[in-house]
């Protein structure tokens, strides 16, 4: 099992006042030592996640912005000494792998502080360590794998590739759906605006044409003969 501590920092309306909410959670027993999360990142906000790792361990961080603004986010990773080992600004998606050199708590943060009105939905996959072998004694065997064992390993690798592809396509589908809904909203608002403008112009034209054909009666009364 892997224990992950989550720290969320969300600035309020006042720039100098920052509310900090820290949550400690056990995200579950992870077979390969990883987790996948989809989080909402409000405007002018930053969310950080903390993971304690041993030295010499490989971890991989994959992330992608699903919806909001220009589909971009800032991301950085720090080691236990506070050294920034990864930093990117306004990225739609990226992948970062690293072998830990020191033991301690590693921090990775997603920031939307450059945006003042766009909320973001961010997906990330954090994997720690290598996947365990499908066979218990696979790494220590001195004989070749049997045909059935080789077939099992091949099927396992293909299933992993299918899972990765499904995750990728689900993210693309969610991103495309968000864009389609946003475009549909803009088209609807534009159509309503055009309808109102057409209605006002039509009434104005009718009133203008009516004024051309309205007979003006001379005023009665005047000097007698």
């Amino acid at each position: 099992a892997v224990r992950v501590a989550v720290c969320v920092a969300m600035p309020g309306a006042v720039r100098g006042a920052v509310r900090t909410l820290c949550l400690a959670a056990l995200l579950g027993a992870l077979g390969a030592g990883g987790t996948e999360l989809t989080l909402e990142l409000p405007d002018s906000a930053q969310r950080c996640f903390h993971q304690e790792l041993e030295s010499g361990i490989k971890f991989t961080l994959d992330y992608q912005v699903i919806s909001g603004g220009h589909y971009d986010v800032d991301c950085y990773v720090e080691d236990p000494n506070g050294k920034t080992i990864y930093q990117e600004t306004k990225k739609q998606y990226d992948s970062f792998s690293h072998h830990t050199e020191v033991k301690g708590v590693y921090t990775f943060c997603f920031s939307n502080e450059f945006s003042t009105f766009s909320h973001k939905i961010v997906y990330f996959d954090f994997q720690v360590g290598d996947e365990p072998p499908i066979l218990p004694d696979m790494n220590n065997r001195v004989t070749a794998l049997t045909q059935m064992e080789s077939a099992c390993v091949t099927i396992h690798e293909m299933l992993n590739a299918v899972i990765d592809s499904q995750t990728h396509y689900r993210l693309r589908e969610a991103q495309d759906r968000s864009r389609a809904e946003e475009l549909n909203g803009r088209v609807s608002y534009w159509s309503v605006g055009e309808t109102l403008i057409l209605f006002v112009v039509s009434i104005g034209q009718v009133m203008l044409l009516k004024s051309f054909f309205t007979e003006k009666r001379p005023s009665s009364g005047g000097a007698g003969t």
Side-chain angles (χ1 to χ4, degrees):
V2 177
R3 300 186 63 91
V4 179
V6 182
C7 256
V8 182
M10 299 177 60
V14 182
R15 184 65 177 179
V18 179
R19 290 179 52 198
T20 303
L21 175 63
C22 291
L23 303 175
L26 177 63
L27 294 184
L30 308 172
T35 186
E36 297 179 67
L37 287 178
T38 301
L39 59 97
E40 180 179 2
L41 192 60
D43 53 280
S44 303
Q46 175 176 286
R47 291 192 175 183
C48 295
F49 300 83
H50 308 276
Q51 175 66 57
E52 185 175 359
L53 300 174
E54 299 290 336
S55 60
I57 298 295
K58 176 185 177 182
F59 69 86
T60 302
L61 174 64
D62 298 318
Y63 64 91
Q64 180 175 342
V65 181
I66 300 176
S67 65
H70 296 287
Y71 302 89
D72 53 358
V73 69
D74 295 345
C75 180
Y76 66 89
V77 180
E78 292 183 350
D79 65 7
N81 298 325
K83 177 183 177 181
T84 302
I85 57 179
Y86 170 83
Q87 184 172 10
E88 291 290 344
T89 59
K90 297 185 178 181
K91 295 282 291 188
Q92 294 184 354
Y93 58 89
D94 201 6
S95 178
F96 172 68
S97 297
H98 181 73
H99 283 83
T100 60
E101 299 177 355
V102 294
K103 177 183 177 180
V105 177
Y106 286 76
T107 303
F108 59 98
C109 298
F110 300 98
S111 175
N112 193 32
E113 294 178 332
F114 60 88
S115 178
T116 56
F117 59 88
S118 296
H119 287 220
K120 308 290 178 62
I121 302 296
V122 181
Y123 161 86
F124 75 87
D125 180 12
F126 186 74
Q127 297 293 330
V128 179
D130 296 324
E131 184 179 5
I134 186 174
L135 301 176
D137 57 344
M138 186 173 175
N139 293 332
N140 300 323
R141 296 188 60 170
V142 295
T143 60
L145 298 177
T146 65
Q147 185 175 0
M148 181 176 293
E149 291 172 341
S150 299
C152 290
V153 172
T154 302
I155 293 174
H156 178 70
E157 293 175 351
M158 294 177 65
L159 288 177
N160 284 337
V162 170
I163 293 174
D164 292 339
S165 298
Q166 288 180 337
T167 301
H168 172 73
Y169 288 130
R170 283 199 300 266
L171 293 176
R172 289 294 300 272
E173 188 273 338
Q175 189 178 66
D176 293 341
R177 179 183 294 273
S178 176
R179 289 181 176 176
E181 291 177 351
E182 181 181 359
L183 181 60
N184 178 67
R186 291 183 180 182
V187 171
S188 299
Y189 290 139
W190 181 257
S191 300
V192 171
E194 285 186 331
T195 302
L196 293 177
I197 293 175
L198 182 61
F199 184 72
V200 172
V201 171
S202 299
I203 294 178
Q205 289 179 343
V206 170
M207 295 181 64
L208 181 61
L209 291 174
K210 185 178 180 180
S211 65
F212 289 160
F213 296 97
T214 300
E215 181 180 0
K216 296 182 180 180
R217 298 180 180 181
S219 57
S220 58
T225 54

